[in-house]
Amino acid sequence: MDADGIEIEEIDIVIVGAGICGLATALALHRKGIQSVVLERSETLRTSGIAIGILTNGWRALDQLGIGSKLRVRDIWLDTHKQQASPLSTGEARCVKRSDLIQMLAEDLPIGTIRFGCRIVSLKLDPLTSYPILQLLDGRKVKAKVLIGCDGVNSVVAEFLKLKPKKLFPMCGVRGLTIYPNGHGRAPEFVRTHRNDIVCGRIPINENLLFWFLPFPLTELSDANIFNDQELIKQMALDKTNGFPDEIAKMVEDCETSYLSLTHLRYRTPWDVLLGRFRNGTVTVAGDAMHVMGPFLGQGGSAALEDAIVLARCLAQKIGVGGGDMERNGREIIQRKVGEAIDAYVEERRTRLVRLSAQTYLTGLLLGTTLKPLKLLILALIFLLFRDRIRHTRYDCGRL
């Protein structure tokens, strides 16, 4: 109970946010026998959003979580009763519906792990124990021995850590989903088509669903009210793909208008990732709260899944599989061990994330400028720094 007479609930590990990263982190801890509680501001699972591209490194993380096979296409032989998960393409670049991924992560968690309707309004450290105390909108308070912020681009936990605010690329992006009742016939691969300063990327979800993405410079946005008008978004996307192959124009024309979205593209600069202080006591962040990046490499979701694996592994190594050390040891020992675990997690992730952030940042600058000399300079930098274009997909977050 605090000085105002309000009862404070004490929980060992609290994760803020039941998005992909938050649920993956909770599941990774669960696989290590460590309990956690996920506080989600919404009243139900947030299954909004269209789809998410997951590359080879992300599928390695999903396999460690034990749900990769559930999301893969499966071959079934009726005569031999055999089943086998079959990769869709070399390197296993796939796109899945965001709602499917969220549901599968949640289904493998123990009942009661996720608490809905928990909107965080403030965060401070207990002056006596130095544990974080969360103030909820409904008046409740929660004290956590470990706090992991997976609360996205507008993270309360990142703000508590005094991380630099995310920035806006000089670009917007249209995301869409097109349904082909008779099949689209496209190869199961991520394809980007370029014309002048416009790039259109597409990747199949399955044989009937195609996810596509269209970034363009913010200076070309003529009407600020377009963000809330899906018909205007569709017309603008059609205008941007004028001159592209007919199949791309048809893909945009036939898209499901209800799935269309237009967003500003946000990022955390590579130098902020390099220099950011991602721990305060037993508080840290993961996913977009740590390293929000543009969609140009398709690595945002995969990097968040990697975060979950690495963080759970580091915590288990310090507090024990099953989290037994949290119960047996006193506060000072717990804080020291958790601090060491978070430091190990940050150290392991930082170099990886700086590389991802740097290439994403340069690619965003390249797509967002119309100055040819600057484009050539940026292209040269990308070539020099990232000549191996699939290096990022080769990354292995290791065993859980």
Side-chain angles (χ1 to χ4, degrees):
M1 187 172 294
D2 66 3
D4 298 323
I6 299 175
E7 191 71 29
I8 300 179
E9 181 181 8
E10 297 188 5
I11 302 174
D12 283 349
I13 300 178
V14 170
I15 298 168
V16 180
I20 291 171
C21 185
L23 295 177
T25 302
L27 183 55
L29 290 169
H30 174 59
R31 298 295 190 219
K32 303 298 287 186
I34 301 172
Q35 292 183 340
S36 64
V37 171
V38 181
L39 302 183
E40 167 55 39
R41 64 182 182 180
S42 301
E43 297 298 331
T44 59
L45 282 176
R46 288 182 287 120
T47 55
S48 59
I50 303 171
I52 182 170
I54 301 177
L55 303 183
T56 307
N57 48 300
W59 285 100
R60 292 193 187 104
L62 287 172
D63 286 337
Q64 289 299 312
L65 292 172
I67 67 168
S69 60
K70 298 179 183 180
L71 289 162
R72 287 180 172 92
V73 175
R74 300 190 69 81
D75 289 320
I76 300 175
W77 290 269
L78 296 177
D79 52 344
T80 61
H81 305 290
K82 287 175 56 181
Q83 294 190 33
Q84 179 178 326
S86 54
L88 289 181
S89 63
T90 302
E92 198 169 7
R94 306 169 186 251
C95 190
V96 299
K97 292 178 71 174
R98 185 179 292 269
S99 58
D100 290 345
L101 179 54
I102 290 285
Q103 289 285 357
M104 288 191 181
L105 288 167
E107 285 173 2
D108 274 25
L109 289 172
I111 295 174
T113 298
I114 308 171
R115 297 186 185 179
F116 297 104
C118 298
R119 183 180 290 272
I120 313 300
V121 295
S122 67
L123 168 60
K124 65 179 182 180
L125 295 182
D126 184 339
L128 296 178
T129 65
S130 294
Y131 283 137
I133 298 178
L134 297 161
Q135 173 70 61
L136 307 188
L137 182 62
D138 60 9
R140 289 178 293 162
K141 291 186 177 183
V142 175
K143 181 190 293 186
K145 293 179 181 177
V146 182
L147 179 63
I148 304 168
C150 300
D151 44 343
V153 295
N154 297 312
S155 171
V156 174
V157 182
E159 184 178 346
F160 167 79
L161 292 174
K162 295 182 172 56
L163 298 182
K164 293 289 183 65
K166 76 276 184 186
K167 300 182 183 299
L168 293 175
F169 279 110
M171 301 190 69
C172 289
V174 179
R175 292 176 172 88
L177 186 67
T178 304
I179 300 174
Y180 296 81
N182 299 318
H184 49 67
R186 307 298 199 282
E189 58 188 0
F190 180 46
V191 176
R192 287 181 292 192
T193 304
H194 301 252
R195 184 178 185 276
N196 297 328
D197 295 322
I198 302 295
V199 179
C200 183
R202 62 166 173 80
I203 183 171
I205 296 176
N206 55 39
E207 63 181 13
N208 300 109
L209 293 175
L210 201 64
F211 171 69
W212 52 271
F213 178 76
L214 183 68
F216 60 90
L218 191 61
T219 54
E220 298 181 15
L221 189 64
S222 58
D223 185 356
N225 296 321
I226 195 173
F227 287 91
N228 300 316
D229 191 324
Q230 290 172 310
E231 289 295 340
L232 286 178
I233 294 173
K234 183 174 183 177
Q235 186 56 54
M236 182 185 65
L238 283 169
D239 293 342
K240 298 299 180 188
T241 53
N242 184 34
F244 275 72
D246 291 343
E247 65 175 28
I248 292 180
K250 183 68 171 171
M251 174 186 71
V252 174
E253 184 178 359
D254 293 344
C255 74
E256 288 292 314
T257 306
S258 60
Y259 286 111
L260 278 174
S261 67
L262 174 65
T263 56
H264 287 293
L265 303 184
R266 297 174 171 85
Y267 69 100
R268 194 178 297 284
T269 65
W271 48 90
D272 286 342
V273 176
L274 176 64
L275 302 174
R277 183 172 176 238
F278 295 117
R279 177 174 81 87
N280 184 352
T282 59
V283 180
T284 191
V285 284
D288 280 352
M290 185 183 197
H291 50 72
V292 60
M293 61 184 74
F296 314 113
L297 303 183
Q299 281 285 359
S302 296
L305 294 168
E306 294 171 3
D307 292 344
I309 299 298
V310 176
L311 180 52
R313 181 174 65 235
C314 290
L315 282 170
Q317 288 171 350
K318 291 296 181 178
I319 66 175
V321 174
D325 288 0
M326 297 282 281
E327 300 295 332
R328 290 190 294 268
N329 291 313
R331 174 172 54 83
E332 292 183 359
I333 294 177
I334 292 173
Q335 290 175 335
R336 176 176 57 80
K337 289 190 172 185
V338 170
E340 291 172 352
I342 294 176
D343 286 344
Y345 155 71
V346 171
E347 181 179 1
E348 182 171 343
R349 296 299 293 153
R350 195 186 297 273
T351 301
R352 161 74 169 162
L353 294 172
V354 167
R355 297 178 72 90
L356 281 174
S357 297
Q359 188 171 357
T360 304
Y361 174 72
L362 289 172
T363 304
L365 289 182
L366 176 66
L367 295 174
T369 182
T370 57
L371 299 176
K372 193 168 184 179
L374 183 56
K375 278 182 175 292
L376 293 174
L377 175 61
I378 295 170
L379 275 171
L381 283 172
I382 292 175
F383 177 77
L384 289 172
L385 296 173
F386 308 103
R387 280 175 288 183
D388 183 355
R389 293 189 302 168
I390 63 171
R391 180 185 302 164
H392 297 309
T393 64
R394 291 177 176 173
Y395 176 83
D396 190 342
C397 59
R399 296 183 62 84
L400 181 57

